[in-house]
Short mmCIF file of all heavy atoms in Angstrom, two decimals:
data_model
loop_
_atom_site.label_atom_id
_atom_site.label_comp_id
_atom_site.label_asym_id
_atom_site.label_seq_id
_atom_site.Cartn_x
_atom_site.Cartn_y
_atom_site.Cartn_z
N MET A 1 -0.25 -15.68 -34.35
CA MET A 1 -1.19 -15.37 -33.26
C MET A 1 -2.08 -14.18 -33.63
O MET A 1 -1.64 -13.26 -34.32
CB MET A 1 -0.43 -15.07 -31.96
CG MET A 1 0.35 -16.26 -31.45
SD MET A 1 1.29 -15.88 -29.95
CE MET A 1 -0.04 -15.64 -28.79
N GLU A 2 -3.33 -14.23 -33.15
CA GLU A 2 -4.29 -13.16 -33.43
C GLU A 2 -3.96 -11.92 -32.61
O GLU A 2 -3.18 -11.96 -31.66
CB GLU A 2 -5.71 -13.63 -33.09
CG GLU A 2 -5.90 -13.93 -31.62
CD GLU A 2 -7.30 -14.42 -31.31
OE1 GLU A 2 -8.08 -14.63 -32.25
OE2 GLU A 2 -7.58 -14.60 -30.11
N ASN A 3 -4.58 -10.82 -32.99
CA ASN A 3 -4.38 -9.56 -32.28
C ASN A 3 -4.97 -9.68 -30.87
O ASN A 3 -6.05 -10.19 -30.66
CB ASN A 3 -5.08 -8.41 -33.03
CG ASN A 3 -4.72 -7.06 -32.46
OD1 ASN A 3 -5.23 -6.69 -31.42
ND2 ASN A 3 -3.85 -6.33 -33.16
N HIS A 4 -4.21 -9.19 -29.86
CA HIS A 4 -4.58 -9.33 -28.45
C HIS A 4 -5.12 -8.04 -27.83
O HIS A 4 -5.24 -7.94 -26.61
CB HIS A 4 -3.37 -9.79 -27.62
CG HIS A 4 -3.09 -11.25 -27.74
ND1 HIS A 4 -3.23 -11.94 -28.92
CD2 HIS A 4 -2.68 -12.16 -26.80
CE1 HIS A 4 -2.90 -13.21 -28.73
NE2 HIS A 4 -2.57 -13.38 -27.45
N LEU A 5 -5.45 -7.06 -28.65
CA LEU A 5 -5.81 -5.76 -28.12
C LEU A 5 -7.06 -5.81 -27.22
O LEU A 5 -7.18 -5.04 -26.28
CB LEU A 5 -6.03 -4.76 -29.27
CG LEU A 5 -6.31 -3.31 -28.84
CD1 LEU A 5 -5.13 -2.75 -28.06
CD2 LEU A 5 -6.60 -2.44 -30.06
N GLN A 6 -7.97 -6.75 -27.50
CA GLN A 6 -9.23 -6.81 -26.76
C GLN A 6 -9.16 -7.69 -25.52
O GLN A 6 -10.17 -7.87 -24.83
CB GLN A 6 -10.37 -7.30 -27.68
CG GLN A 6 -10.66 -6.38 -28.85
CD GLN A 6 -10.97 -4.96 -28.41
OE1 GLN A 6 -11.74 -4.75 -27.48
NE2 GLN A 6 -10.36 -3.98 -29.08
N ARG A 7 -7.98 -8.25 -25.25
CA ARG A 7 -7.86 -9.04 -24.02
C ARG A 7 -7.97 -8.10 -22.81
O ARG A 7 -7.37 -7.01 -22.80
CB ARG A 7 -6.52 -9.78 -23.97
CG ARG A 7 -6.31 -10.71 -25.17
CD ARG A 7 -7.31 -11.86 -25.15
NE ARG A 7 -7.31 -12.62 -26.38
CZ ARG A 7 -6.51 -13.67 -26.63
NH1 ARG A 7 -5.67 -14.07 -25.70
NH2 ARG A 7 -6.58 -14.32 -27.77
N PRO A 8 -8.72 -8.49 -21.79
CA PRO A 8 -8.98 -7.56 -20.67
C PRO A 8 -7.73 -7.06 -19.97
O PRO A 8 -7.63 -5.90 -19.59
CB PRO A 8 -9.87 -8.38 -19.73
CG PRO A 8 -9.73 -9.80 -20.17
CD PRO A 8 -9.44 -9.76 -21.62
N GLU A 9 -6.75 -7.96 -19.80
CA GLU A 9 -5.54 -7.52 -19.10
C GLU A 9 -4.73 -6.54 -19.95
O GLU A 9 -4.07 -5.63 -19.42
CB GLU A 9 -4.68 -8.73 -18.71
CG GLU A 9 -4.08 -9.52 -19.87
CD GLU A 9 -5.04 -10.53 -20.47
OE1 GLU A 9 -6.22 -10.57 -20.04
OE2 GLU A 9 -4.61 -11.28 -21.36
N ILE A 10 -4.77 -6.69 -21.29
CA ILE A 10 -4.06 -5.78 -22.19
C ILE A 10 -4.72 -4.41 -22.17
O ILE A 10 -4.06 -3.37 -22.07
CB ILE A 10 -4.03 -6.35 -23.63
CG1 ILE A 10 -3.39 -7.75 -23.63
CG2 ILE A 10 -3.27 -5.40 -24.54
CD1 ILE A 10 -1.99 -7.81 -23.10
N LEU A 11 -6.06 -4.41 -22.25
CA LEU A 11 -6.79 -3.14 -22.21
C LEU A 11 -6.52 -2.39 -20.91
O LEU A 11 -6.31 -1.18 -20.90
CB LEU A 11 -8.30 -3.41 -22.36
CG LEU A 11 -8.78 -3.82 -23.76
CD1 LEU A 11 -10.25 -4.21 -23.71
CD2 LEU A 11 -8.56 -2.69 -24.76
N ALA A 12 -6.51 -3.14 -19.79
CA ALA A 12 -6.27 -2.51 -18.49
C ALA A 12 -4.85 -1.95 -18.42
O ALA A 12 -4.63 -0.87 -17.86
CB ALA A 12 -6.50 -3.52 -17.37
N ALA A 13 -3.87 -2.68 -18.97
CA ALA A 13 -2.48 -2.22 -18.93
C ALA A 13 -2.31 -0.95 -19.76
O ALA A 13 -1.61 -0.01 -19.34
CB ALA A 13 -1.56 -3.32 -19.43
N LEU A 14 -2.93 -0.91 -20.94
CA LEU A 14 -2.82 0.29 -21.79
C LEU A 14 -3.52 1.49 -21.14
O LEU A 14 -3.14 2.64 -21.37
CB LEU A 14 -3.43 0.00 -23.17
CG LEU A 14 -2.65 -0.99 -24.05
CD1 LEU A 14 -3.44 -1.34 -25.29
CD2 LEU A 14 -1.28 -0.42 -24.42
N GLU A 15 -4.53 1.20 -20.34
CA GLU A 15 -5.32 2.27 -19.74
C GLU A 15 -4.71 2.77 -18.43
O GLU A 15 -4.65 3.98 -18.17
CB GLU A 15 -6.74 1.76 -19.49
CG GLU A 15 -7.74 2.87 -19.21
CD GLU A 15 -9.16 2.35 -19.16
OE1 GLU A 15 -9.58 1.68 -20.13
OE2 GLU A 15 -9.83 2.60 -18.15
N SER A 16 -4.27 1.82 -17.57
CA SER A 16 -3.82 2.22 -16.23
C SER A 16 -2.39 1.80 -15.91
O SER A 16 -1.92 2.01 -14.81
CB SER A 16 -4.76 1.63 -15.17
OG SER A 16 -4.76 0.22 -15.24
N GLY A 17 -1.72 1.16 -16.84
CA GLY A 17 -0.32 0.78 -16.60
C GLY A 17 -0.14 -0.69 -16.29
O GLY A 17 0.92 -1.25 -16.54
N GLU A 18 -1.15 -1.36 -15.74
CA GLU A 18 -1.07 -2.78 -15.48
C GLU A 18 -2.47 -3.36 -15.45
O GLU A 18 -3.46 -2.65 -15.24
CB GLU A 18 -0.35 -3.07 -14.16
CG GLU A 18 -1.04 -2.47 -12.95
CD GLU A 18 -0.32 -2.81 -11.66
OE1 GLU A 18 0.63 -3.60 -11.71
OE2 GLU A 18 -0.74 -2.30 -10.60
N GLY A 19 -2.55 -4.66 -15.68
CA GLY A 19 -3.85 -5.32 -15.66
C GLY A 19 -3.72 -6.80 -15.33
O GLY A 19 -2.66 -7.40 -15.55
N GLU A 20 -4.78 -7.37 -14.78
CA GLU A 20 -4.81 -8.78 -14.39
C GLU A 20 -6.10 -9.40 -14.85
O GLU A 20 -7.13 -8.74 -14.95
CB GLU A 20 -4.69 -8.93 -12.87
CG GLU A 20 -3.37 -8.50 -12.29
CD GLU A 20 -3.34 -8.64 -10.77
OE1 GLU A 20 -4.44 -8.74 -10.17
OE2 GLU A 20 -2.24 -8.65 -10.20
N SER A 21 -6.04 -10.70 -15.11
CA SER A 21 -7.26 -11.46 -15.41
C SER A 21 -6.97 -12.94 -15.19
O SER A 21 -5.82 -13.37 -15.16
CB SER A 21 -7.75 -11.20 -16.84
OG SER A 21 -6.83 -11.74 -17.78
N THR A 22 -8.04 -13.70 -15.03
CA THR A 22 -7.95 -15.15 -14.86
C THR A 22 -8.98 -15.80 -15.77
O THR A 22 -10.14 -15.41 -15.77
CB THR A 22 -8.23 -15.55 -13.40
OG1 THR A 22 -7.33 -14.84 -12.53
CG2 THR A 22 -8.04 -17.04 -13.19
N ARG A 23 -8.49 -16.79 -16.57
CA ARG A 23 -9.40 -17.48 -17.49
C ARG A 23 -9.17 -18.98 -17.39
O ARG A 23 -8.10 -19.44 -16.97
CB ARG A 23 -9.17 -17.00 -18.93
CG ARG A 23 -9.52 -15.54 -19.15
CD ARG A 23 -9.55 -15.20 -20.63
NE ARG A 23 -8.22 -15.09 -21.22
CZ ARG A 23 -7.47 -13.99 -21.18
NH1 ARG A 23 -7.92 -12.91 -20.53
NH2 ARG A 23 -6.29 -13.96 -21.76
N ALA A 24 -10.21 -19.72 -17.79
CA ALA A 24 -10.11 -21.17 -17.79
C ALA A 24 -9.01 -21.61 -18.74
O ALA A 24 -8.85 -21.08 -19.84
CB ALA A 24 -11.44 -21.80 -18.19
N SER A 25 -8.25 -22.61 -18.29
CA SER A 25 -7.14 -23.12 -19.11
C SER A 25 -7.63 -24.25 -20.00
O SER A 25 -8.69 -24.86 -19.77
CB SER A 25 -6.02 -23.61 -18.20
OG SER A 25 -5.00 -24.22 -18.96
N ALA A 26 -6.83 -24.53 -21.03
CA ALA A 26 -7.15 -25.67 -21.90
C ALA A 26 -6.99 -26.99 -21.14
O ALA A 26 -7.60 -28.00 -21.49
CB ALA A 26 -6.25 -25.65 -23.14
N THR A 27 -6.18 -26.97 -20.10
CA THR A 27 -5.98 -28.17 -19.28
C THR A 27 -7.12 -28.28 -18.28
O THR A 27 -7.46 -27.32 -17.59
CB THR A 27 -4.64 -28.07 -18.52
OG1 THR A 27 -3.60 -27.83 -19.45
CG2 THR A 27 -4.38 -29.37 -17.76
N LEU A 28 -7.73 -29.48 -18.18
CA LEU A 28 -8.87 -29.69 -17.30
C LEU A 28 -8.48 -29.44 -15.84
O LEU A 28 -7.46 -29.91 -15.37
CB LEU A 28 -9.39 -31.13 -17.46
CG LEU A 28 -10.65 -31.47 -16.68
CD1 LEU A 28 -11.83 -30.63 -17.17
CD2 LEU A 28 -10.97 -32.95 -16.79
N GLY A 29 -9.33 -28.70 -15.12
CA GLY A 29 -9.11 -28.47 -13.70
C GLY A 29 -8.07 -27.41 -13.41
O GLY A 29 -7.61 -27.31 -12.27
N ARG A 30 -7.70 -26.61 -14.41
CA ARG A 30 -6.69 -25.57 -14.18
C ARG A 30 -7.17 -24.25 -14.76
O ARG A 30 -8.05 -24.20 -15.62
CB ARG A 30 -5.34 -25.97 -14.80
CG ARG A 30 -4.78 -27.25 -14.21
CD ARG A 30 -3.38 -27.54 -14.73
NE ARG A 30 -2.38 -26.67 -14.14
CZ ARG A 30 -1.81 -26.88 -12.95
NH1 ARG A 30 -2.16 -27.92 -12.23
NH2 ARG A 30 -0.89 -26.06 -12.50
N GLU A 31 -6.57 -23.15 -14.27
CA GLU A 31 -6.87 -21.81 -14.75
C GLU A 31 -5.56 -21.10 -15.09
O GLU A 31 -4.52 -21.41 -14.51
CB GLU A 31 -7.62 -21.00 -13.68
CG GLU A 31 -9.02 -21.51 -13.40
CD GLU A 31 -9.71 -20.71 -12.30
OE1 GLU A 31 -9.00 -20.09 -11.49
OE2 GLU A 31 -10.94 -20.74 -12.25
N THR A 32 -5.65 -20.16 -16.02
CA THR A 32 -4.47 -19.38 -16.40
C THR A 32 -4.60 -17.98 -15.82
O THR A 32 -5.63 -17.32 -16.01
CB THR A 32 -4.32 -19.30 -17.92
OG1 THR A 32 -4.27 -20.63 -18.45
CG2 THR A 32 -3.04 -18.56 -18.29
N VAL A 33 -3.56 -17.56 -15.10
CA VAL A 33 -3.52 -16.23 -14.50
C VAL A 33 -2.64 -15.34 -15.37
O VAL A 33 -1.49 -15.70 -15.67
CB VAL A 33 -2.98 -16.28 -13.06
CG1 VAL A 33 -3.03 -14.90 -12.42
CG2 VAL A 33 -3.78 -17.27 -12.23
N TYR A 34 -3.16 -14.20 -15.77
CA TYR A 34 -2.43 -13.27 -16.64
C TYR A 34 -2.11 -11.98 -15.89
O TYR A 34 -2.93 -11.49 -15.11
CB TYR A 34 -3.27 -12.91 -17.88
CG TYR A 34 -3.57 -14.08 -18.78
CD1 TYR A 34 -4.74 -14.81 -18.63
CD2 TYR A 34 -2.69 -14.44 -19.80
CE1 TYR A 34 -5.05 -15.86 -19.46
CE2 TYR A 34 -2.99 -15.50 -20.64
CZ TYR A 34 -4.16 -16.21 -20.47
OH TYR A 34 -4.45 -17.27 -21.29
N TYR A 35 -0.92 -11.44 -16.18
CA TYR A 35 -0.54 -10.12 -15.66
C TYR A 35 0.13 -9.35 -16.78
O TYR A 35 1.10 -9.84 -17.40
CB TYR A 35 0.41 -10.25 -14.48
CG TYR A 35 0.93 -8.91 -13.98
CD1 TYR A 35 0.11 -8.07 -13.25
CD2 TYR A 35 2.22 -8.48 -14.28
CE1 TYR A 35 0.56 -6.83 -12.80
CE2 TYR A 35 2.68 -7.25 -13.84
CZ TYR A 35 1.85 -6.42 -13.10
OH TYR A 35 2.30 -5.20 -12.67
N ALA A 36 -0.39 -8.18 -17.09
CA ALA A 36 0.14 -7.35 -18.18
C ALA A 36 0.68 -6.05 -17.61
O ALA A 36 0.08 -5.47 -16.70
CB ALA A 36 -0.96 -7.08 -19.21
N LEU A 37 1.83 -5.60 -18.18
CA LEU A 37 2.49 -4.39 -17.70
C LEU A 37 2.88 -3.53 -18.90
O LEU A 37 3.52 -4.01 -19.84
CB LEU A 37 3.74 -4.77 -16.90
CG LEU A 37 4.54 -3.62 -16.30
CD1 LEU A 37 3.73 -2.90 -15.23
CD2 LEU A 37 5.85 -4.14 -15.72
#
């Protein structure tokens, strides 16, 4: 797997302790919800 440092939820977690983001999923009609701590 590639480096994840630039993912928005990772950046937010490193900066403020936690982060969230939502991105389109590979599956049609679905989205992936991320939470980083």
Side-chain angles (χ1 to χ4, degrees):
M1 296 178 68
E2 63 181 6
N3 189 284
H4 281 38
L5 185 61
Q6 297 305 314
R7 302 294 169 88
E9 66 277 4
I10 304 301
L11 287 173
L14 291 172
E15 195 172 307
S16 61
E18 61 178 354
E20 294 178 342
S21 67
T22 304
R23 295 192 285 276
S25 174
T27 306
L28 185 64
R30 299 186 74 83
E31 292 178 338
T32 303
V33 183
Y34 297 93
Y35 175 74
L37 181 66

